[in-house]
Each structure stands twice: as C-alpha cells, then as structure tokens.
Amino acid sequence: NGMHAVTALAGASVAAVAVGLLVATPSTASPAPAYCVTSTSTASVTYGGASYTALPTPTVTPSPYSPGSGCGSQGSGGHPRTKVCHVAALGDLQDDAPNIYAAAQECNGGGTVILDEDYYVRTPLDLRGLSHVDLQITGNISFWDNVTYWQSEMFFWTYQNATSQWVVGGEDVNIYGYGVGILDGRGQAWYDAYAANALIKRPILLVLSALNGGVVSGLNMRFSGQWYNFVANSSNVIYDGITIEGASTSSHVAKNTDGWDTYRSDSVVIQNSVINNGDDCVSFKPNSTNVVVQGLVCNGSHGISVGSLGQYKLEYDVVENIYVYNISMSNASDGARIKVWPGLQSALSTDLQGGGGSGHVRNVTYDTFYNYNNDYIIELTQCYGQSNLTLCNEYPSSLTISDVHFRNFWGTASTKYKPVVGTLVCSSPTVCSDIYATNITIPAQTGATAAEWRCTNVDESNLEVNCVAGV
C-alpha cells in the first residue's frame, strides 16, 4: 500500500486579520514566554521494512497572550520522540482504526505516528492514555457515515449528550497537520438524519479528553456531524492554524457545528484559525478557566460565547479568567455572547432543555473585535432557551456575572433587529455587577436614526453605548 519516506513540509498557520488597537496586557493573560515550545522529533527511523522520516516538529507558542504565566502547552521543554510508526492505509474503504490504534500503542512513551495516506475509520478509535506521542497527519482521515451503526458504538459524555467516533487523551500528545492534513467527518448523512430525528446521537469530529499538555495545529477540519472540537477534562492545550469548513449540500442545515467547546478544562489557547460554521465559533462551557482565544476569523457563526450555563439543576457552573482578543466576526447571530439559562426548566429545542442551575462568570474580557453584518454585536442574556419573558422574570437565574469587559468593538450590525444592535439584559441587578462596554463604535443601520442597545439590570454608567429600556 505504497509505504514510502515522507519528505518535510513547512508548517502552516492561517493568519487572522490584524484588527487593530494594541492595549496593555490584561490581568487575565500574560505575554507568551519564549520557552513555550513543543517536543522534538527524531529525523529518520526504519519501520516496517521501509524508511520513514518524521517531519520537523512545528514550534507553536501562544501569542500574543497566554493563560496566566504558563505555557498553555507541554511546558516541560519537550520529551524526545525516539520511535517512528507509519500506518499503511488498507484502502477500499476498509477499517484503518485498528492499525492506527496499534501504531499509537507501539509509539507510546516517546514516538511519532505518521499518517500520510487516506484512512477510513469504521469502528471506535480510543487513543486515550497516551504519553509523549505526536500524530503527524499529512493525509486524510475520514469517518464512516453509517448513522445506524454509530448510534450504539460512539464514545459518550453526559454533558449535552456529546458523542464521538474517536478520542485522544493522555500527557504530552500532539496532532500536527502541517497545513495539509484533513479530518473529514462526512457530515451530510448526519445533517439529513438529524432533520428527521432530533434525538439521534451525532459525532464530534475531534475530542480531547483527559489530556494534559498538547498541541493541535495545521489541521483542516471538514463536515463534522456536530461540534468540530470538544476539549473535556483537559489542561495546557493549544490549537493553532486550524481551518473549519463544512456546509450542508441538501436542504437540511448543518446544525450545532460549534468550532470549539471547552468543558471542565483549564489553560487552553485557541488561535490563528479560520472558521466557517453554523453555530458558536467558540463556546466556553461549564468549568472553563484560564482560556485565551486570539486571532480568529469567524463567519456565519453564533459568535464567541460564554455558555450556555445553568442548564443542569443543582450543578454549579464556573467560567472564569477568559480573554478573547483580535477577532473578526462576520454574518453571525452574535459577536460576543454570554448565555445563561433561567431559574426554571425550559426547552430551547427537542434535543436541548435545561435551566435552574447556578454558578458564576467572572473576569471575562472581549477586546479588539471587528464585526461585519452581525445581528447583535454583543448579547448578554439570562433567559436562554425561554421565550416567555414573564416566566423568565418570575424565575430569574441565580448565576452571577461580574467583572466582564467588552472593549474596542467596531464594524456593522445587520438590520435584523433594527434599530437595536446589542442587548445587555440581566435577570436582576443583584446577579450582575461590573459589566463594562467601552470604545464601542457601531453605527446605526441604514434607515435607523441611532444605534440602540437594550440594557436591563446593569449599571449603565459603565456602558459607553446608547441604552434604551430592556425587554
């Protein structure tokens, strides 16, 4: 099956639009230290009767900001990769999952797995528990789209019924795509099946679970059945130079195709990437702390979102120390968004209900944010999933929101809510404090006399916007 030596490719990152104003380093993020580098690979190793060369390891650093004083990556200076394992694709749509698993186990403890062909995954692929392993993907990994088969075979997380066909975890595990590697979820079958049955399980394209220290860079992610990336119970992770693309080719829209969802994870960096999707560009789910998102170009999304939070009764959700910087957001329902469920059970859709949970959002900054044709420039709501505003007010959320900064926003809003361009509505003045909006430059839409903002239960003296009565 064509085993051959791999020649070096230059690492590739997708540069985001440079959008402007440089500001002082915020308390939520620190300049990236110079020692934040990834592990090193050996040059060439004979394996399986042929010579294979591991590509030079990309140098990936969080820039210009990193969470706290840490690296957001391995931080150990790198563990040697002394083994190289090449996976020969079987072809003819045969299942390559067992051979990918075997290679990862053989190179566990300090090795590089070369995936330079076209692979097909037909059975669950569990790559958790690895240590000091690099997956170099310069080929194409696609996933079998038999919806019926996968209903009983996918990995499962209780939170929002998240499922996946493969999962990666361990310590110091990296996935490098060098700008050419492709993950293809073959999502069309899932878009069509979801239109017929909103309760089917749909796969997330890449899940990092219980990973401490890792880089995902230079990958092209295509046609995920649901979210593209789920970072769960993980820490010290960097995503860099990712492209996300995958619209439906039928009348059934590709729904819930979030770019990233972080959950119960700490010290995560997402940077220098281009995203064309149909839901949140990035979403900070419960217990996401010390996260930096920077240099993203997002199109067609639901914005960069805190939440949703408070979905599960008796659960305490935390989102804290978040810094979002240098973002270009176009044709989205929202630019920056904080979404919290009310204090009573509500149904957003057939497959998404919740409300009644508690928690806090604290120390969140959105800074340097270009908007083009977004319905809301900023949306803060504690009535997520509940259209009955009377009930929302009767059962307000107890989740507190404090120390939130929206600054240096400019561009245009769509005419969907004309003349309103944003909404900052808390359930009561006791749960929201220190909400700031500064240097917000959004003109009125065509035909409107002024750009209006709905502001309720927030201190309007902290808001440099044209507040009108909330709803």
Side-chain angles (χ1 to χ4, degrees):
N1 287 291
M3 293 194 297
H4 54 277
V6 181
T7 55
L9 297 173
S13 290
V14 180
V17 175
V19 288
L21 308 165
L22 294 177
V23 296
T25 303
S27 61
T28 54
S30 302
Y35 59 81
C36 292
V37 298
T38 62
S39 54
T40 56
S41 293
T42 55
S44 183
V45 174
T46 298
Y47 173 75
S51 179
Y52 291 92
T53 302
L55 300 176
T57 303
T59 298
V60 179
T61 59
S63 178
Y65 299 111
S66 67
S69 59
C71 290
S73 63
Q74 294 92 330
S76 63
H79 185 286
R81 304 319 200 228
T82 58
K83 298 176 284 187
V84 172
C85 305
H86 176 264
V87 180
L90 296 175
D92 299 324
L93 301 182
Q94 297 181 78
D95 185 21
D96 291 303
N99 288 339
I100 295 173
Y101 174 84
Q105 295 304 313
E106 184 166 346
C107 269
N108 201 13
T112 300
V113 178
I114 296 175
L115 296 157
D116 60 347
E117 301 179 18
D118 291 337
Y119 304 94
Y120 202 62
V121 172
R122 298 176 66 100
T123 54
L125 177 55
D126 191 345
L127 298 183
R128 289 175 292 190
L130 300 178
S131 62
H132 314 302
V133 173
D134 294 344
L135 305 178
Q136 293 192 350
I137 303 173
T138 56
N140 182 332
I141 300 178
S142 60
F143 296 83
W144 193 29
D145 56 1
N146 186 316
V147 174
T148 302
Y149 167 80
W150 285 111
Q151 292 307 294
S152 61
E153 298 299 324
M154 287 192 285
F155 303 100
F156 177 78
W157 289 262
T158 302
Y159 179 75
Q160 292 190 347
N161 297 318
T163 54
S164 71
Q165 296 150 317
W166 74 315
V167 56
V168 177
E171 182 177 3
D172 180 19
V173 181
N174 308 298
I175 305 174
Y176 302 126
Y178 298 90
V180 297
I182 296 173
L183 298 181
D184 185 351
R186 296 169 61 91
Q188 191 61 53
W190 303 96
Y191 311 150
D192 295 339
Y194 178 72
N197 177 10
L199 297 179
I200 66 164
K201 299 172 185 174
R202 295 169 292 156
I204 300 165
L205 187 57
L206 175 60
V207 175
L208 304 183
S209 180
L211 174 64
N212 178 26
V215 170
V216 180
S217 73
L219 278 178
N220 301 290
M221 298 184 168
R222 301 291 181 259
F223 303 104
S224 180
Q226 196 186 14
W227 306 340
Y228 278 84
N229 292 280
F230 186 37
V231 186
N233 305 298
S234 296
S235 59
N236 301 312
V237 174
I238 302 177
Y239 287 85
D240 182 81
I242 306 299
T243 70
I244 288 175
E245 182 88 40
S248 174
T249 58
S250 76
S251 60
H252 303 136
V253 176
K255 292 190 175 181
N256 309 120
T257 52
D258 298 12
W260 283 268
D261 291 87
T262 60
Y263 173 68
R264 293 184 176 176
S265 292
D266 181 73
S267 295
V268 177
V269 177
I270 302 167
Q271 64 182 21
N272 304 329
S273 298
V274 175
I275 302 96
N276 289 280
N277 69 328
D279 210 303
D280 295 324
C281 189
V282 180
S283 176
F284 312 111
K285 302 293 192 188
N287 303 313
S288 295
T289 55
N290 300 304
V291 182
V292 173
V293 173
Q294 55 196 353
L296 300 192
V297 177
C298 307
N299 179 61
S301 77
H302 292 179
I304 295 181
S305 302
V306 172
S308 61
L309 304 177
Q311 179 179 358
Y312 295 100
K313 193 174 181 180
L314 304 181
E315 293 283 341
Y316 190 93
D317 295 342
V318 174
V319 171
E320 194 167 38
N321 302 334
I322 307 295
Y323 192 66
V324 178
Y325 176 73
N326 192 25
I327 304 299
S328 174
M329 181 74 64
S330 301
N331 305 307
S333 66
D334 301 90
R337 180 162 70 154
I338 298 176
K339 47 183 177 176
V340 176
W341 293 82
L344 79 163
Q345 286 287 304
S346 306
L348 181 65
S349 61
T350 302
D351 59 330
L352 187 60
Q353 303 89 30
S358 62
H360 70 259
V361 173
R362 183 184 301 145
N363 195 20
V364 174
T365 297
Y366 292 84
D367 187 357
T368 311
F369 206 111
Y370 170 69
N371 295 264
Y372 174 76
N373 195 43
N374 298 330
D375 297 339
Y376 282 139
I377 303 303
I378 299 169
E379 181 182 10
L380 189 164
T381 177
Q382 291 188 303
C383 199
Y384 185 70
Q386 176 56 257
S387 58
N388 188 323
L389 297 180
T390 301
L391 281 176
C392 234
N393 293 329
E394 187 177 350
Y395 299 95
S397 169
S398 63
L399 189 145
T400 63
I401 302 174
S402 64
D403 193 16
V404 175
H405 299 260
F406 305 98
R407 60 193 186 209
N408 304 320
F409 278 60
W410 75 102
T412 61
S414 77
T415 59
K416 182 172 182 177
Y417 301 114
K418 187 174 74 172
V420 175
V421 300
T423 176
L424 298 159
V425 177
C426 287
S427 59
S428 76
T430 61
V431 297
C432 282
S433 61
D434 297 320
I435 312 295
Y436 296 87
T438 57
N439 195 23
I440 311 298
T441 308
I442 304 295
Q445 303 100 322
T446 301
T449 57
E452 297 183 357
W453 292 72
R454 293 173 179 153
C455 309
T456 302
N457 294 324
V458 291
D459 185 349
E460 294 184 19
S461 68
N462 295 331
L463 306 176
E464 296 179 6
V465 297
N466 176 32
C467 285
V468 297
V471 294

mmCIF file of all heavy atoms in Angstrom, residues 321-344:
data_model
loop_
_atom_site.group_PDB
_atom_site.id
_atom_site.type_symbol
_atom_site.label_atom_id
_atom_site.label_comp_id
_atom_site.label_asym_id
_atom_site.label_seq_id
_atom_site.Cartn_x
_atom_site.Cartn_y
_atom_site.Cartn_z
ATOM 1 N N ASN A 321 -11.732 33.819 34.095
ATOM 2 C CA ASN A 321 -10.435 34.168 33.509
ATOM 3 C C ASN A 321 -10.379 33.811 32.022
ATOM 4 O O ASN A 321 -9.624 32.935 31.594
ATOM 5 C CB ASN A 321 -9.282 33.496 34.264
ATOM 6 C CG ASN A 321 -9.255 33.849 35.733
ATOM 7 O OD1 ASN A 321 -9.747 34.905 36.126
ATOM 8 N ND2 ASN A 321 -8.712 32.963 36.551
ATOM 9 N N ILE A 322 -11.185 34.509 31.257
ATOM 10 C CA ILE A 322 -11.280 34.301 29.810
ATOM 11 C C ILE A 322 -10.811 35.576 29.111
ATOM 12 O O ILE A 322 -11.243 36.685 29.474
ATOM 13 C CB ILE A 322 -12.729 33.989 29.380
ATOM 14 C CG1 ILE A 322 -13.317 32.826 30.204
ATOM 15 C CG2 ILE A 322 -12.794 33.710 27.886
ATOM 16 C CD1 ILE A 322 -12.654 31.499 29.999
ATOM 17 N N TYR A 323 -9.955 35.430 28.116
ATOM 18 C CA TYR A 323 -9.505 36.597 27.355
ATOM 19 C C TYR A 323 -9.665 36.304 25.866
ATOM 20 O O TYR A 323 -9.072 35.354 25.341
ATOM 21 C CB TYR A 323 -8.050 36.932 27.670
ATOM 22 C CG TYR A 323 -7.623 38.286 27.139
ATOM 23 C CD1 TYR A 323 -8.190 39.447 27.654
ATOM 24 C CD2 TYR A 323 -6.674 38.402 26.146
ATOM 25 C CE1 TYR A 323 -7.819 40.692 27.181
ATOM 26 C CE2 TYR A 323 -6.286 39.651 25.665
ATOM 27 C CZ TYR A 323 -6.865 40.794 26.195
ATOM 28 O OH TYR A 323 -6.500 42.035 25.727
ATOM 29 N N VAL A 324 -10.494 37.124 25.200
ATOM 30 C CA VAL A 324 -10.758 36.976 23.773
ATOM 31 C C VAL A 324 -10.205 38.218 23.084
ATOM 32 O O VAL A 324 -10.614 39.335 23.396
ATOM 33 C CB VAL A 324 -12.275 36.834 23.512
ATOM 34 C CG1 VAL A 324 -12.553 36.728 22.021
ATOM 35 C CG2 VAL A 324 -12.836 35.635 24.270
ATOM 36 N N TYR A 325 -9.295 38.024 22.128
ATOM 37 C CA TYR A 325 -8.556 39.164 21.574
ATOM 38 C C TYR A 325 -8.395 39.040 20.059
ATOM 39 O O TYR A 325 -8.130 37.956 19.539
ATOM 40 C CB TYR A 325 -7.172 39.221 22.233
ATOM 41 C CG TYR A 325 -6.268 40.297 21.686
ATOM 42 C CD1 TYR A 325 -6.488 41.643 21.987
ATOM 43 C CD2 TYR A 325 -5.196 39.969 20.865
ATOM 44 C CE1 TYR A 325 -5.661 42.636 21.474
ATOM 45 C CE2 TYR A 325 -4.365 40.952 20.349
ATOM 46 C CZ TYR A 325 -4.607 42.284 20.661
ATOM 47 O OH TYR A 325 -3.798 43.264 20.155
ATOM 48 N N ASN A 326 -8.542 40.170 19.381
ATOM 49 C CA ASN A 326 -8.232 40.275 17.952
ATOM 50 C C ASN A 326 -9.070 39.305 17.123
ATOM 51 O O ASN A 326 -8.578 38.338 16.550
ATOM 52 C CB ASN A 326 -6.744 40.037 17.709
ATOM 53 C CG ASN A 326 -6.322 40.424 16.299
ATOM 54 O OD1 ASN A 326 -6.955 41.253 15.646
ATOM 55 N ND2 ASN A 326 -5.255 39.812 15.825
ATOM 56 N N ILE A 327 -10.365 39.593 17.063
ATOM 57 C CA ILE A 327 -11.320 38.711 16.410
ATOM 58 C C ILE A 327 -11.982 39.440 15.242
ATOM 59 O O ILE A 327 -12.329 40.619 15.338
ATOM 60 C CB ILE A 327 -12.422 38.269 17.401
ATOM 61 C CG1 ILE A 327 -11.806 37.605 18.641
ATOM 62 C CG2 ILE A 327 -13.424 37.340 16.717
ATOM 63 C CD1 ILE A 327 -10.996 36.358 18.375
ATOM 64 N N SER A 328 -12.190 38.729 14.145
ATOM 65 C CA SER A 328 -13.005 39.203 13.034
ATOM 66 C C SER A 328 -14.225 38.293 12.947
ATOM 67 O O SER A 328 -14.094 37.088 12.733
ATOM 68 C CB SER A 328 -12.214 39.155 11.727
ATOM 69 O OG SER A 328 -13.038 39.481 10.627
ATOM 70 N N MET A 329 -15.411 38.891 13.118
ATOM 71 C CA MET A 329 -16.659 38.112 13.153
ATOM 72 C C MET A 329 -17.615 38.657 12.098
ATOM 73 O O MET A 329 -17.962 39.840 12.124
ATOM 74 C CB MET A 329 -17.293 38.224 14.539
ATOM 75 C CG MET A 329 -18.581 37.438 14.716
ATOM 76 S SD MET A 329 -18.318 35.659 14.839
ATOM 77 C CE MET A 329 -17.365 35.566 16.362
ATOM 78 N N SER A 330 -18.067 37.799 11.182
ATOM 79 C CA SER A 330 -18.918 38.234 10.079
ATOM 80 C C SER A 330 -20.159 37.358 9.954
ATOM 81 O O SER A 330 -20.109 36.149 10.199
ATOM 82 C CB SER A 330 -18.149 38.172 8.749
ATOM 83 O OG SER A 330 -16.998 38.996 8.790
ATOM 84 N N ASN A 331 -21.265 38.001 9.577
ATOM 85 C CA ASN A 331 -22.500 37.291 9.232
ATOM 86 C C ASN A 331 -22.936 36.326 10.326
ATOM 87 O O ASN A 331 -23.350 35.193 10.065
ATOM 88 C CB ASN A 331 -22.318 36.539 7.907
ATOM 89 C CG ASN A 331 -21.864 37.454 6.785
ATOM 90 O OD1 ASN A 331 -22.494 38.478 6.523
ATOM 91 N ND2 ASN A 331 -20.758 37.102 6.137
ATOM 92 N N ALA A 332 -22.860 36.798 11.553
ATOM 93 C CA ALA A 332 -23.145 35.954 12.714
ATOM 94 C C ALA A 332 -24.401 36.429 13.425
ATOM 95 O O ALA A 332 -24.814 37.588 13.300
ATOM 96 C CB ALA A 332 -21.961 35.982 13.680
ATOM 97 N N SER A 333 -24.998 35.535 14.202
ATOM 98 C CA SER A 333 -26.131 35.951 15.030
ATOM 99 C C SER A 333 -25.661 36.865 16.152
ATOM 100 O O SER A 333 -26.397 37.741 16.606
ATOM 101 C CB SER A 333 -26.855 34.726 15.601
ATOM 102 O OG SER A 333 -26.012 34.040 16.514
ATOM 103 N N ASP A 334 -24.429 36.656 16.612
ATOM 104 C CA ASP A 334 -23.852 37.455 17.689
ATOM 105 C C ASP A 334 -22.357 37.628 17.449
ATOM 106 O O ASP A 334 -21.710 36.769 16.822
ATOM 107 C CB ASP A 334 -24.037 36.759 19.046
ATOM 108 C CG ASP A 334 -25.487 36.510 19.374
ATOM 109 O OD1 ASP A 334 -26.008 35.434 19.006
ATOM 110 O OD2 ASP A 334 -26.098 37.382 20.007
ATOM 111 N N GLY A 335 -21.820 38.726 17.980
ATOM 112 C CA GLY A 335 -20.372 38.863 18.029
ATOM 113 C C GLY A 335 -19.861 38.208 19.303
ATOM 114 O O GLY A 335 -19.397 37.083 19.302
ATOM 115 N N ALA A 336 -20.004 38.930 20.426
ATOM 116 C CA ALA A 336 -19.687 38.381 21.744
ATOM 117 C C ALA A 336 -20.995 38.048 22.456
ATOM 118 O O ALA A 336 -21.962 38.815 22.398
ATOM 119 C CB ALA A 336 -18.894 39.396 22.557
ATOM 120 N N ARG A 337 -21.006 36.906 23.149
ATOM 121 C CA ARG A 337 -22.280 36.475 23.755
ATOM 122 C C ARG A 337 -22.039 35.797 25.096
ATOM 123 O O ARG A 337 -21.087 35.025 25.258
ATOM 124 C CB ARG A 337 -23.014 35.516 22.807
ATOM 125 C CG ARG A 337 -24.346 35.035 23.363
ATOM 126 C CD ARG A 337 -25.254 34.453 22.301
ATOM 127 N NE ARG A 337 -24.795 33.184 21.775
ATOM 128 C CZ ARG A 337 -25.608 32.248 21.240
ATOM 129 N NH1 ARG A 337 -26.911 32.482 21.178
ATOM 130 N NH2 ARG A 337 -25.121 31.148 20.766
ATOM 131 N N ILE A 338 -22.904 36.079 26.047
ATOM 132 C CA ILE A 338 -22.972 35.350 27.316
ATOM 133 C C ILE A 338 -24.403 34.862 27.452
ATOM 134 O O ILE A 338 -25.349 35.656 27.451
ATOM 135 C CB ILE A 338 -22.590 36.254 28.513
ATOM 136 C CG1 ILE A 338 -21.144 36.731 28.366
ATOM 137 C CG2 ILE A 338 -22.783 35.493 29.825
ATOM 138 C CD1 ILE A 338 -20.702 37.708 29.443
ATOM 139 N N LYS A 339 -24.563 33.548 27.556
ATOM 140 C CA LYS A 339 -25.917 32.970 27.560
ATOM 141 C C LYS A 339 -26.098 32.057 28.778
ATOM 142 O O LYS A 339 -25.344 31.119 28.995
ATOM 143 C CB LYS A 339 -26.201 32.210 26.261
ATOM 144 C CG LYS A 339 -25.108 31.253 25.811
ATOM 145 C CD LYS A 339 -25.453 30.595 24.477
ATOM 146 C CE LYS A 339 -24.331 29.681 23.991
ATOM 147 N NZ LYS A 339 -24.691 28.962 22.742
ATOM 148 N N VAL A 340 -27.125 32.386 29.550
ATOM 149 C CA VAL A 340 -27.405 31.690 30.807
ATOM 150 C C VAL A 340 -28.872 31.275 30.819
ATOM 151 O O VAL A 340 -29.761 32.057 30.449
ATOM 152 C CB VAL A 340 -27.110 32.609 32.009
ATOM 153 C CG1 VAL A 340 -27.499 31.936 33.317
ATOM 154 C CG2 VAL A 340 -25.637 33.012 32.029
ATOM 155 N N TRP A 341 -29.116 30.031 31.247
ATOM 156 C CA TRP A 341 -30.488 29.546 31.362
ATOM 157 C C TRP A 341 -31.186 30.213 32.546
ATOM 158 O O TRP A 341 -30.547 30.561 33.538
ATOM 159 C CB TRP A 341 -30.502 28.027 31.556
ATOM 160 C CG TRP A 341 -30.034 27.236 30.380
ATOM 161 C CD1 TRP A 341 -28.743 26.974 30.032
ATOM 162 C CD2 TRP A 341 -30.843 26.593 29.391
ATOM 163 N NE1 TRP A 341 -28.697 26.212 28.891
ATOM 164 C CE2 TRP A 341 -29.976 25.963 28.475
ATOM 165 C CE3 TRP A 341 -32.221 26.490 29.197
ATOM 166 C CZ2 TRP A 341 -30.434 25.248 27.373
ATOM 167 C CZ3 TRP A 341 -32.686 25.769 28.103
ATOM 168 C CH2 TRP A 341 -31.800 25.155 27.211
ATOM 169 N N PRO A 342 -32.520 30.370 32.493
ATOM 170 C CA PRO A 342 -33.258 30.949 33.615
ATOM 171 C C PRO A 342 -33.360 29.968 34.781
ATOM 172 O O PRO A 342 -32.826 28.850 34.731
ATOM 173 C CB PRO A 342 -34.625 31.253 33.001
ATOM 174 C CG PRO A 342 -34.782 30.262 31.904
ATOM 175 C CD PRO A 342 -33.391 30.050 31.348
ATOM 176 N N GLY A 343 -34.082 30.391 35.806
ATOM 177 C CA GLY A 343 -34.176 29.582 37.015
ATOM 178 C C GLY A 343 -35.200 28.471 36.965
ATOM 179 O O GLY A 343 -35.396 27.766 37.959
ATOM 180 N N LEU A 344 -35.861 28.304 35.821
ATOM 181 C CA LEU A 344 -36.816 27.200 35.682
ATOM 182 C C LEU A 344 -36.471 26.388 34.443
ATOM 183 O O LEU A 344 -35.766 26.862 33.553
ATOM 184 C CB LEU A 344 -38.248 27.719 35.579
ATOM 185 C CG LEU A 344 -38.727 28.267 34.218
ATOM 186 C CD1 LEU A 344 -40.231 28.327 34.194
ATOM 187 C CD2 LEU A 344 -38.119 29.615 33.912
#
